[in-house]
Every structure is written in C-alpha cells, then in structure tokens.
Amino acid sequence: RGAGAGNMGRPGRRAEQVIREGLSLHKNLQCVWQEVERGTCDRPVAAVQRLRGICDLDLTSLQARHLLQLLYRASGRTDLPGTGWGTPLNEGASSRLGSVSLPPSRTAFAGFGDGATPSTSA
C-alpha cells in the first residue's frame, strides 16, 4: 500500500467543501440550486441548462452536469436523477451530451436575496 492509499476519499470531500463554499458566496448559483431542490427543474437537462445560464460561470454542458452532480453530493442528497441525461454522469468527455453543447438560456437576476426576480434574455 502506498502513502496515498489513505487519501482516496479526500479529493471528493475537498470538492464538496469547495462546492459548499462557492454556493454560499455565489447568489445566482444559490438561486438555481434552490430551484433544483424545490423541483422547479424537474428534468436533469433543464437543471443543466439553468446552470449553464449563469453567465459568469460560463459552463459547458459537461461541466454543468458535473457541477450538478457535485451539488447533489455536497448537499447530502442521494436522489440524483438517473434518467434524462442521455448518458450516465460518470462518463467522461466522450459522452454524447458532453460533446454536443446546447446553448444555455441566460438569466439575469434583478437583485439578490429572497426578492430576486429572474429576467430571461435571449
């Protein structure tokens, strides 16, 4: 056994910690994640598109899928949707959805906090 054998779980825990910190600091990400948690984005593809719509993150479809997976893990949720992705989330860049990048629907929020009103732009 090598020195790294005991650190196998650390990268995942560190990623979850970074996701939680980023979620606490990024208001638009908080709004989109709250929509996902409430079930407003009932399809995985819709949730990915909402994440891609956060302009300052500038995510590809594959990056948004991975971010969604990390958000689920960091929040302790185990109900990550298993259908509607086209391919499993665990697959790398060779997956069909990873290579086809759909244009995001961009949303700008008028304010931060509970009273934020989304305004969709083309």
Side-chain angles (χ1 to χ4, degrees):
R1 293 182 190 179
N7 295 334
M8 293 297 286
R10 266 197 188 156
R13 280 188 237 133
R14 175 71 180 135
E16 291 172 13
Q17 178 186 359
V18 169
I19 288 294
R20 282 190 295 273
E21 289 173 9
L23 194 56
S24 71
L25 296 171
H26 199 286
K27 300 300 181 186
N28 287 345
L29 181 58
Q30 284 177 19
C31 289
V32 171
W33 178 239
Q34 287 171 357
E35 288 178 6
V36 171
E37 285 188 309
R38 284 191 306 259
T40 306
C41 295
D42 58 345
R43 295 177 305 129
V45 173
V48 166
Q49 288 302 97
R50 294 290 292 148
L51 287 170
R52 289 198 64 217
I54 302 173
C55 299
D56 56 328
L57 294 183
D58 195 26
L59 299 171
T60 65
S61 294
L62 184 60
Q63 290 169 331
R65 288 171 60 200
H66 288 184
L67 176 57
L68 184 61
Q69 184 179 36
L70 286 170
L71 286 165
Y72 268 85
R73 286 182 184 167
S75 68
R77 290 182 58 173
T78 58
D79 59 332
L80 180 66
T83 60
W85 294 101
T87 57
L89 269 179
N90 298 9
E91 290 188 16
S94 64
S95 70
R96 267 184 6 107
L97 272 183
S99 62
V100 175
S101 187
L102 301 173
S105 58
R106 302 285 186 198
T107 302
F109 290 93
F112 296 114
D114 295 334
T117 305
S119 168
T120 305
S121 62

